[in-house]
Amino acid sequence: MAASDEDVDLESEQYEKHREAGEILAQVREETADRVEVGASHLEIAEYAEDRIRELGGKPAFPVNISIDEEAAHATPSIDDDSTFGEEMINLDIGVHVDGWLADTAITVDLSGNPELAEASEQALEAALDVIEPGVNTGDIGAEIEDVINGYGYNPVVNLTGHGLGHWEQHTGPNIPNRAVSQGTTLEVGDVVAIEPFATDGGGKVTEGASEEIFALEHEGSVRNRQARDALDQITDEFRTLPFATRWLETDRPEMALRRLKRNSIVHGYPVLKEDDGHLVSQKEHTIIVTPDGCEVTTKSR
């Protein structure tokens, strides 16, 4: 959180890197969404976006999330994934970092014939952005999101939130709720946060599934197994504390290496999150910097 308005230099190097990450990400989001169609490969779409981020001078802040229908987060293709898109609701959640300074964005590509559900999360995000300024309470932002989604006849996903973005930290305070809460946090000039409404035609809660393809470093440690050591060297050097995919690991037998690292509590996994009732979920997300007169959307299309 920012100390005071006078202490914050929004032209400093860290904010310029946040902006650079956001500019790359806005371009990659649009290009990637344009490639989503029935029959397209999940793995090819994810690798396209991740490679494009690197081509444009950034690095992926986390594996591209491709969440289908009732999935809300943490779904990414496996090493040899042969899944293709059908007539489904598809959420793309993509992140970029420049020297550890992050931007995070998401968009729903609806191939399921439910455009109003996609529109609900998009309009909820617009309403949230309209009220952001120094001194706004995050509970009031959540109230705007909830009001718009309910107005479409849907429910917000209440146990997922927007979040702050730190240096090499994908999720930090403050949380930005997707519903009205009585005890929120006050935003200040210089805060960098991701606002991400989720809308559903279900009850509005997600639970953990069994599948895990995304992991992150819990703490550094030592392991005997060569593959696990090789994986840990790559994780600490390349990804640090940011999430990574099994398919990013360059060691032999990466799944076995991750099992060993997880058993030793060196890494933790991110199970796929699914809507509790099995209903559709849409998502829209932008990253913003709180400014003296409102907010700057770093991930807006240019």
Side-chain angles (χ1 to χ4, degrees):
M1 297 292 285
S4 74
D5 291 7
E6 293 77 16
D7 296 333
V8 179
D9 178 7
L10 294 180
E11 303 308 315
S12 67
E13 185 179 20
Q14 93 176 59
Y15 289 107
E16 288 303 326
K17 288 182 175 179
H18 277 301
R19 291 184 181 100
E20 185 182 346
E23 193 168 335
I24 292 166
L25 188 48
Q27 182 174 339
V28 172
R29 179 190 62 231
E30 301 309 316
E31 291 179 5
T32 305
D34 284 346
R35 283 166 168 73
V36 174
E37 60 184 11
V38 172
S41 157
H42 291 199
L43 183 58
E44 287 177 11
I45 290 289
E47 290 183 337
Y48 170 83
E50 292 159 3
D51 289 344
R52 192 76 178 107
I53 288 166
R54 298 181 187 103
E55 285 172 13
L56 292 171
K59 292 184 178 176
F62 51 85
V64 170
N65 284 206
I66 299 177
S67 303
I68 306 294
D69 288 345
E70 76 275 10
E71 295 172 344
H74 304 160
T76 200
S78 59
I79 293 168
D80 52 1
D81 202 309
D82 61 0
S83 304
T84 58
F85 296 110
E87 294 180 348
E88 301 160 323
M89 181 158 282
I90 298 130
N91 297 325
L92 301 174
D93 195 341
I94 312 173
V96 168
H97 78 87
V98 174
D99 296 333
W101 302 104
L102 284 80
D104 190 353
T105 194
I107 188 170
T108 295
V109 180
D110 178 48
L111 306 179
S112 71
N114 290 276
E116 284 206 341
L117 182 57
E119 189 180 306
S121 54
E122 184 174 347
Q123 290 304 310
L125 176 58
E126 291 301 317
L129 297 178
D130 283 345
V131 300
I132 292 176
E133 61 183 2
V136 71
N137 190 282
T138 56
D140 295 333
I141 300 171
E144 291 290 326
I145 291 170
E146 182 176 32
D147 188 52
V148 170
I149 293 173
N150 286 348
Y152 275 86
Y154 302 119
N155 290 313
V157 176
V158 296
N159 58 340
L160 290 175
T161 67
H163 51 88
L165 295 166
H167 193 216
W168 296 102
E169 285 186 285
Q170 184 210 0
H171 278 217
T172 184
N175 288 335
I176 313 293
N178 287 319
R179 62 171 172 175
V181 297
S182 56
Q183 297 198 328
T185 303
T186 300
L187 295 186
E188 300 174 2
V189 171
D191 286 342
V192 180
V193 294
I195 315 289
E196 53 178 327
F198 293 82
T200 179
D201 56 356
K205 288 195 174 178
V206 293
T207 51
E208 293 183 351
S211 173
E212 285 181 346
E213 284 292 334
I214 299 176
F215 298 84
L217 184 69
E218 186 79 33
H219 62 78
E220 294 190 40
S222 59
V223 283
R224 286 182 169 180
N225 177 265
R226 180 182 62 80
Q227 286 97 343
R229 277 202 316 273
D230 289 347
L232 184 57
D233 286 345
Q234 183 185 358
I235 292 162
T236 54
D237 180 55
E238 191 175 337
F239 315 131
R240 303 196 192 186
T241 51
L242 293 176
F244 60 90
T246 308
R247 59 187 161 79
W248 289 1
L249 296 178
E250 294 163 2
T251 186
D252 300 332
R253 303 175 70 190
E255 294 96 339
M256 187 203 72
L258 282 169
R259 279 198 298 273
R260 289 180 182 270
L261 293 174
K262 193 176 174 187
R263 196 183 311 140
N264 286 286
S265 301
I266 292 171
V267 302
H268 65 269
Y270 292 87
V272 174
L273 301 178
K274 298 184 177 185
E275 208 282 327
D276 214 11
D277 300 324
H279 286 260
L280 298 176
V281 177
S282 72
Q283 177 190 14
K284 189 69 188 285
E285 178 181 23
H286 274 312
T287 296
I288 62 106
I289 301 169
V290 180
T291 61
D293 57 356
C295 72
E296 175 186 350
V297 182
T298 66
T299 50
K300 183 174 279 186
S301 296
R302 281 153 178 82

